[in-house]
Amino acid sequence: MLPTIAREADEVVMVDQRKLPGEEVYVRCKTAAEVARAIKTMVIRGAPAIGVAAAMGIALGTRNSKATGTQKFAAEFYKICELMGATRPTAVNLFWAIERMKRVFAKAAEAGESVEQIKDRLDAEAVRVHDEDVASCRAMGAFGAEVVPADARILTHCNAGALATAGYGTALGVVRGAVEAGKHVVVFADETRPFLQGARLTAWELVRDGIQTTVITDNMAGSLMRQGRVNFVVVGADRIAANGDTANKIGTYGVAVLAREHGIPFYVAAPLSTIDLGTPDGTHIPIEERSSKEVTHVRGLQVTPDGALVWNPAFDVTPHRLIAGIITERGIFRSPYIESLKRAFEEVSLA
Ligand code: MRU
């Protein structure tokens, strides 16, 4: 399986996704600040992977603490959580992971555990966040495979693969699940301007897996669908609101509109950690805006004239009415999402 992120003794190690597919190099973070920087600068990206990185960064940062008393240790812990929370605003998995670490901290501190014991608990929780994510992706893959056509021509946007998770992937987990279920699958990967996650990362992953992959530029999707060459769309998500509205990589909304126009089912694959029942609908999802340089420059070369203004939102929101189903580790949830997504969590608390 692809190595997205790992904890190695006093380091958090991650493959530098900015350099793929040209170079496979690893970034070794020795401090929480270095992990936070890696998230912000997209060394590691993709909502679930960001959550895992934050949990590992918090565990690493607190492990490095020289504090002996719980009070000073607590102050440092919360500062590290704040640092992580300031990296990227849209992917709710980030905040979900931070909350998980805070709960573990609070419980251990309330029980009067020592600094060393709390450090061990935080380490163990980060490992769980990582391992559970892989298990969720595999479950999503198996559920999603059931709705993939036997002869599938799948279009996906951005990279919701092993690189965007602790392993296996969400949308690409569904692709992998369908292949494992014996379906014939070919994939069209949207290039995904401006960061090129589709062209660079999705294509890299799938080609390595021997899955036929055709890269298209984002503006080709409509024409491809019109020619009848796509019969299934699956994408990942950065945050799903209580009513099913879904934030994902910029351009996803356009793909969903095109899919509806051409009668192609449009699915979202995401773990429950991406569903945010506290956000009522898509209008409340904070959308990250990134540097204009991502648009004005391609691989260091300026492609726009000086003086041109730039708008660079990293995500858009697909309204729930365009979504055929949300594939999770608990099964596939369908409209009305306001009810089905709430049920998904009730089922978890019963389990
Ligand atoms: O800006 P990125 O690369 O972090 O955006 C990633 C996406 O939009 C993914 O589709 C989403 O996080 C789901 S990843 C399983």
Side-chain angles (χ1 to χ4, degrees), residues 33 39 73-75 104 109 117 121 131-132 168 203 214 261 263-264 338:
I39 297 172
F73 184 58
V104 165
Q117 283 171 318
R121 289 208 185 272
D131 294 353
E132 284 173 20
Y168 201 73
T214 305
E261 167 69 14
I264 302 164
I338 195 81

Side-chain angles (χ1 to χ4, degrees), residues 70 73 108 112-119:
T70 327
F73 184 58
E113 294 189 4
S114 70
V115 166
E116 282 311 306
Q117 283 171 318
I118 300 176
K119 285 180 180 179

Side-chain angles (χ1 to χ4, degrees), residues 50-292:
I50 290 171
V52 173
M56 286 191 180
I58 292 168
L60 177 73
T62 44
R63 177 60 68 190
N64 288 342
S65 168
K66 300 271 180 290
T68 46
T70 327
Q71 223 172 350
K72 182 147 187 286
F73 184 58
E76 286 181 21
F77 169 79
Y78 285 107
K79 207 157 164 230
I80 291 168
C81 290
E82 212 174 291
L83 184 72
M84 291 299 160
T87 51
R88 298 195 68 191
T90 305
V92 76
N93 305 61
L94 172 69
F95 306 99
W96 168 88
I98 294 170
E99 282 312 311
R100 252 180 94 147
M101 299 301 274
K102 281 185 179 171
R103 275 199 301 276
V104 165
F105 185 94
K107 200 168 162 215
E110 268 165 38
E113 294 189 4
S114 70
V115 166
E116 282 311 306
Q117 283 171 318
I118 300 176
K119 285 180 180 179
D120 289 346
R121 289 208 185 272
L122 293 171
D123 274 341
E125 187 68 1
V127 170
R128 268 195 294 275
V129 169
H130 176 279
D131 294 353
E132 284 173 20
D133 188 56
V134 179
S136 295
C137 287
R138 287 204 173 268
M140 247 175 272
F143 283 120
E146 289 170 22
V147 289
V148 171
D151 196 356
R153 302 180 300 277
I154 302 178
L155 183 126
T156 190
H157 191 73
C158 193
N159 171 266
L163 290 165
T165 59
Y168 201 73
T170 58
L172 297 193
V174 171
V175 168
R176 292 187 166 107
V179 171
E180 283 167 25
K183 299 193 171 178
H184 180 257
V185 177
V186 299
V187 174
F188 291 97
D190 277 353
E191 173 189 43
T192 318
R193 272 282 284 155
F195 207 71
L196 306 181
Q197 290 94 331
R200 296 189 301 106
L201 308 177
T202 293
W204 185 70
E205 276 193 31
L206 294 180
V207 167
R208 271 173 65 128
D209 274 10
I211 298 170
Q212 185 189 306
T213 306
T214 305
V215 177
I216 59 168
T217 62
D218 300 333
N219 48 3
M220 295 171 186
S223 201
L224 192 75
M225 290 183 187
R226 187 132 199 236
Q227 290 179 20
R229 295 170 66 187
V230 176
N231 59 6
F232 191 84
V233 177
V234 63
V235 298
D238 283 81
R239 190 184 297 227
I240 301 172
N243 72 342
D245 289 354
T246 294
N248 191 48
K249 179 54 54 194
I250 189 74
T252 303
Y253 169 53
V255 172
V257 171
L258 285 169
R260 172 58 56 93
E261 167 69 14
H262 295 92
I264 302 164
F266 176 97
Y267 280 88
V268 170
L272 293 191
S273 53
T274 304
I275 300 172
D276 178 13
L277 295 185
T279 295
D281 60 57
T283 62
H284 292 85
I285 299 177
I287 301 293
E288 174 184 10
E289 292 208 15
R290 294 189 61 86
S291 160
S292 58

